[in-house]
Amino acid sequence: MFMGREHRFDGSPGSLGSDPFGLTGTLEATAKAASVDPTLETDNTLMAAAVALELARENLETAHARVLARLDATSATDTAVGMRTGGWLAWETDTNPTRCRQRVGEAKRLGWFPEFTNALVETRVRFCHGALLASVANPRNRDGLRAAQSVLIEWAEQFHFSQWAAMVRQ
């Protein structure tokens, strides 16, 4: 018998409380999607699914970043269970602690750019744009990037991601 750690949240509908953000249905839908045998589907169905899953992943990444940034800003996990946000998330999900801490750092840096975050929510830019912005942002260039948010959003709407990324990195 497996003797695992006890977690407050195990991903089951009951453990999440009152269906935060309406995610119980999302968990069920993603579990169903993961169980589909792609060898039984047509190429057109698989191509449509690949695009839909990418768009869904981007929306989930945006929501996740906003939630993690808020949890970290309020020190909620430290207060509740004595763990910083990244460590707590890794513990609760039994996933890679390094990646969880990276996600929290990325979310915090993305939080420096409220106009850009609003554009993410409005799907005017994709999460890959936000992740890149967060990866190049640091305390030394934060103010300059913050001042350029509207231009970065315009560029994201005008240029392919690879072109936009090259301009942002410059």
Side-chain angles (χ1 to χ4, degrees), residues 54-75:
E54 182 63 20
L55 295 174
R57 186 192 59 76
E58 290 244 335
N59 287 336
L60 287 171
E61 291 276 14
T62 298
H64 197 218
R66 295 176 73 213
V67 166
L68 289 176
R70 180 63 183 166
L71 281 173
D72 194 68
T74 62
S75 300

Side-chain angles (χ1 to χ4, degrees), residues 104-145:
V104 172
E106 181 178 80
K108 286 169 49 174
R109 289 186 304 278
L110 195 53
W112 294 344
F113 309 104
E115 188 178 342
F116 203 89
T117 302
N118 288 339
L120 276 168
V121 171
E122 297 164 0
T123 64
R124 294 173 43 217
V125 297
R126 308 293 326 153
F127 189 77
C128 57
H129 294 97
L132 182 93
L133 178 60
S135 75
V136 300
N138 61 57
R140 292 182 311 281
N141 66 12
R142 168 181 42 200
D143 293 338
L145 287 169

Side-chain angles (χ1 to χ4, degrees), residues 144-162:
L145 287 169
R146 190 178 289 144
Q149 287 179 88
S150 59
V151 172
L152 295 176
I153 293 165
E154 283 179 35
W155 287 354
E157 295 173 354
Q158 294 172 3
F159 297 99
H160 290 286
F161 177 76
S162 58

Side-chain angles (χ1 to χ4, degrees), residues 18-27:
S18 62
D19 194 14
F21 296 19
L23 290 173
T24 298
T26 302
L27 287 169

